[in-house]
Amino acid sequence: MNRHVGQLPKQYDPKALEEEVRTLWENEGTYKLVKETRSHGPKFYYLDGPPFPSSDTPHIGTSWNKVLKDTIIRYQRTRGFNVRDQPGYDCHGLPIELAVEQKFGFKTKKDIESFGLERFVSECKRFAEINCASMTRVFQNLGVWMDWANPYMTHHDDYIESDWWSLKQAWKKNLFERGQRVVHWCPRCETVLSDYEVVQEYKTLRDPSIYVKFPVVGKESEFVLIWTTTPWTLPSNVAVMVNPDFQYAKVRSDGEVYILAKERIAHVEEAAGVHLEVVETFPGTKLEGLKYSSPLESLVPAQKDLRNAHSVVLSKEYVTLEEGTGCVHSAPGHGEEDYEVGLRFKLPVLMLVDDQGKFVTEAGKYAGKPVREANPEIIEDLKSLGMLLQATEIEHRSPVCWRCKTPLLIRATNQWLIKVAQMKDRFIKEVENTTWIPDWAGANQFKNWLGGLKDWVVSRQRFWGTPLPVWVCNSCGSTKVIGSKDELLKEATDPTELSSLHVPWVDRIKLRCKCGGEMSRVPDVMVGWYDSGAASYASLSHPKNPELTKFWWPPDFIVEGRDQISGWFFALLKTGIIAMDQTPFKTVLMHGFMLDDAGREMHKSLGNFVASDEVVQKYGRDIFRYYVLQTTIWEDLRFSWDALKQYSGDLSTFWNTYVFASTYMSLDEFSPSKWPLRKLTGALRPEDRWLLSRTHRTIKEVTEAMEGYRVHEALRKLKNFLVEDLSHTYVRFIRRRTWVEKETRDKLAAYATLYYALKQALIMLTPTLPFVTEALYQHMFKEAELKHPATVHLLGWPSWDKKWLDDSLESEMEAAKSVLSTVALARMEKSLKQRQPVRNVAVVTDSETTRNALKRYKALMLEQANTRTLIGAAPSSSSKYEMQAGEGRYAKAEFPAGALYVDLKLSRDDLAEGLARDVVRRMQQMRKEMDLKVDSYVHAYIVAPSTKAAGMLRSKSKYLAHEVRAKQLTVSTRKVEVRAPYYTKTWPIDKEMYEVGLCEVSRLKSKT
Ligand SMILES: [Zn+2]
Ligand SMILES: [Zn+2]
């Protein structure tokens, strides 16, 4: 069998190639083949962070994320690992409910209830599933090889059951309970929001800024002066906080006495436009226990009931001198810090606001009013009661609902929570047992986040989510947490009725209590973060398949964006430790954000949204992948079409390097099986050994980078190898060797070296550029060797051998390249063409490396510098050249290692050779224009402008004929008559005109 290297298409046409590869993969079932082939290797559990299907078009940052994951998965497969590659979708949650609400024009939760919960939840499910399918298509189109036929979806019953199971573990460990917590609340969505959701969205709001007088009990016209921007929390006031470390003062104004911090007096005077005369000063401790009465007690019945509570308490942490009066109005029902201080002093928690953000009956005069709308009325009332010192307005940044943009309220509510705050030290310790890339993501960012660990509020007052598996007895109030569907049906009073575990179906299941009463499920669903956090075991349907869990768990690797420090990474850690008693990941890679070219986030509403499909259509899949993967993973990427275009040039350079090799090797029917490197080691030139050293060093460095998940570093090393070492250096160096017709060992050594280097680079590029590498393999490599897998993705990752690494070969090559580029510079300054051979180049240097390079790479440098001799000389001999240089004999150029001198004296023969090379270059150009095969022969003629020029060319006719593959070549000074269809062109060389004609021999024959 005559196997040899195949011919590549000349042009890099990503669209055509990618379609060809996609068809091949589809027809051959390539993904399944690769997965199956690797299924016997050691396990590698990659866990997908599930994107949220709130839109049918994934954000381009999500496409980047998926491509990065695909690259790691492909790399591990190439290394021989059996990779678990199940993708996931985070299907529950508020954004999907809101999208459905918008579709039907709902304004409040009541609209949903009258629409019917069955219909509403079915619509949410449909919405999520349609978007999942659409996103899957985009990811698959990018060449992301995951198990798309079998994704984990958080709304599947199996998944929900796993959530239930783990919550039951928390219950058994006494970590799950119902309790009061101060939370951020959206009055439109009527639900609690996570801290994580609260930091997402802020808006500048105009709010009141008021100074209010709290009458001191038993003193006429004496008041504690407070400042607030939320008048609507005054009906819930319980205490005033002062700082024991500050100095306070009694001040007089218009016959009234106010108590405030001494340092805030000047500020209040300016803000309220009053003069305050200091009566006495004293430390804050003296105010402890001071009784005051509520300024609104005549209007708010709840305030009257609390009368005994209204007193001054001390707080070092939450009273500052940055704003206000140093006396802080405290409403534990409406502030986290107030709540904490309230707990310490056993203060009552007053909370007069309902789910929709309206005042309840106990708020008296304000009952039924939305709290923010009640602000002006409260201010008016304070004024008429004489309790207002000053009212202005303030603009400040306040959190709003990240979905519906409604300003959030803070309220104390009863929620279901997991008591993780007490496990803080354990959590921080767990982080130390995991690998974070970059390491500061874990050592600083994640640890800092864990420092503020609070109990986890897992209940949400919504519909589309994992139902909280808690049933409560309607008679005795006892609670039961259910861990599976089977358990639920076993305990159900009527077990036949359960088509879905979702609301409202699950709520039809009632349980029988020990007391004889009936138990109903609590109305809440679970926070979506609990779903996605459970992915490490819920995607395995744990505990239903213990063998599966035993084989795979825990995940080896996760990778997500930097926002997941407080999101998914955090949720994973919490559920992992609660349910499995262990961190559910070994290695975390954190990536940056995709921004627009001005550094802003990309949003459809901003008009700067780019979809990855658009990039694929314009440039191709590999170019998108290359562009995003070369960026430093943990830095933000500013998307730019210009940059994308620039990077696409690299892929063309890669392609052309392979085309060069493929063209000559296929022509010569080079067979790497017949001529492997090991049979040619004796024929290797120093530059071949240099390339092999570079190849093995590149394998070493790329492998180390990939093992550390630094994909960008690996890709940059590969680019350097392909562009600098191969395209710009080695391929240039071996052009003349490949042009030799005979099958010499010297040529074979160059082929074998180049083939080896290109093949190793090809394999290392497969994880990042799966399409172009497959095309290169199918066209060029696959048929070249006896043993060949069906796809490039089954070639194993290369290993490096230190016997090939040679530091001095590499440093001397750098020195040689530096000399060569300096020779080119010296020539250019004297307008001496590169093609004009010179007699001598003298390199004056005290660098040992450079002198060694001149010896080691002598043949190569003579050829590349186009000189007959090359001398290395010590700096002491430079005067010899300097003197003659002064007379114009030498062209001098300096470089870091010294200086060199190019001899400018040329003989007639030198000039003839220079002219001949000029003509050859143009004839080769014409061969290309005629689209001749590299090996086809021609007849040629040259009409020279003078007898002298014709004579010079005739003296080099053997060389000319050989270089342009001419069977017949005539040189004359007058135009010759030619009958056959010659391709002719007139060229100016050194300001004189030369006519050149070429005709392919086969065409000549067919004409006669
Ligand atoms: Zn909302
Ligand atoms: Zn009961």
Side-chain angles (χ1 to χ4, degrees), residues 684-865:
L684 293 178
R685 291 196 193 186
E687 57 266 37
D688 302 333
R689 289 184 180 276
W690 164 78
L691 183 67
L692 292 166
S693 178
R694 287 295 308 141
T695 307
H696 283 270
R697 194 174 306 279
T698 304
I699 296 173
K700 178 175 184 282
E701 290 176 350
V702 169
T703 307
E704 282 164 1
M706 290 302 286
E707 285 296 299
Y709 299 99
R710 298 184 304 276
V711 175
H712 55 284
E713 192 182 309
L715 202 47
R716 288 175 200 168
K717 299 260 182 218
L718 282 166
K719 173 190 168 170
N720 184 63
F721 181 63
L722 279 162
V723 175
E724 291 306 320
D725 296 340
L726 277 159
S727 173
H728 291 172
T729 307
Y730 190 72
V731 162
R732 249 177 40 200
F733 288 174
I734 62 163
R735 267 181 205 274
R736 296 190 71 80
R737 287 163 79 186
T738 59
W739 191 241
V740 174
E741 276 178 54
K742 277 178 278 172
E743 193 184 76
T744 63
R745 283 176 67 80
D746 181 51
K747 179 162 89 171
L748 289 168
Y751 279 169
T753 305
L754 181 60
Y755 182 89
Y756 181 80
L758 286 175
K759 190 175 170 190
Q760 311 316 309
L762 179 82
I763 301 170
M764 289 188 282
L765 279 173
T766 54
T768 44
L769 306 176
F771 293 95
V772 69
T773 51
E774 184 75 280
L776 287 166
Y777 177 72
Q778 296 293 335
H779 285 277
M780 178 175 168
F781 291 86
K782 191 177 163 193
E783 298 298 325
E785 294 179 55
L786 295 175
K787 275 198 245 165
H788 60 269
T791 166
V792 74
H793 298 288
L794 279 176
L795 291 172
W797 190 259
S799 52
W800 56 280
D801 185 341
K802 73 168 184 256
K803 83 167 189 230
W804 285 104
L805 297 181
D806 188 329
D807 291 339
S808 53
L809 254 183
E810 290 187 35
S811 55
E812 285 164 23
M813 177 57 88
E814 286 312 305
K817 282 164 74 177
S818 167
V819 168
L820 289 174
S821 61
T822 313
V823 170
L825 203 73
R827 281 170 172 274
M828 211 155 67
E829 276 177 6
K830 297 288 173 187
S831 305
L832 186 66
K833 291 172 291 190
Q834 296 298 329
R835 280 181 293 277
Q836 176 61 57
V838 298
R839 289 181 179 192
N840 184 33
V841 172
V843 181
V844 175
T845 178
D846 56 6
S847 147
E848 205 181 334
T849 309
T850 305
R851 280 208 296 274
N852 288 342
L854 297 180
K855 280 180 224 145
R856 174 112 72 168
Y857 293 114
K858 189 172 181 191
L860 175 78
M861 292 181 77
L862 286 175
E863 182 197 300
Q864 295 292 317

Side-chain angles (χ1 to χ4, degrees), residues 208 210-214 226-240 292-297 300 302-304 306 310 328-332 334 350 352-353 359 363 366 371 374-375 377-383 387-388:
I210 58 173
Y211 291 91
V212 184
K213 301 185 265 183
F214 285 8
I226 67 100
W227 172 78
T228 182
T229 60
T230 50
W232 64 266
T233 59
L234 288 173
S236 306
N237 173 270
V238 163
V240 166
Y292 66 88
S293 56
S294 161
L296 295 172
E297 70 175 12
V300 179
Q303 281 288 310
K304 207 173 239 162
L306 273 184
H310 292 135
V328 178
H329 143 61
S330 178
H334 295 291
L350 191 56
L352 303 176
V353 180
F359 278 113
Y366 311 111
V371 293
N375 277 339
E377 188 180 337
I378 294 171
I379 294 169
E380 266 318 302
D381 291 341
L382 288 169
K383 202 171 165 186
M387 297 297 169
L388 186 75

Side-chain angles (χ1 to χ4, degrees), residues 473-478 513-519:
C473 177
N474 303 341
S475 344
C476 75
S478 69
C513 181
K514 276 185 216 142
C515 79
E518 193 180 63
M519 303 179 95

Side-chain angles (χ1 to χ4, degrees), residues 547-587:
E547 288 303 310
L548 207 60
T549 311
K550 198 178 157 203
F551 182 80
W552 289 107
W553 209 88
D556 294 282
F557 176 72
I558 55 174
V559 46
E560 299 300 334
R562 59 175 161 83
D563 51 335
Q564 302 306 334
I565 290 278
S566 54
W568 193 54
F569 300 153
F570 183 44
L572 275 179
L573 182 68
K574 287 187 284 190
T575 51
I577 290 179
I578 293 161
M580 309 293 272
D581 217 24
Q582 193 184 327
T583 307
F585 47 80
K586 292 181 186 164
T587 298

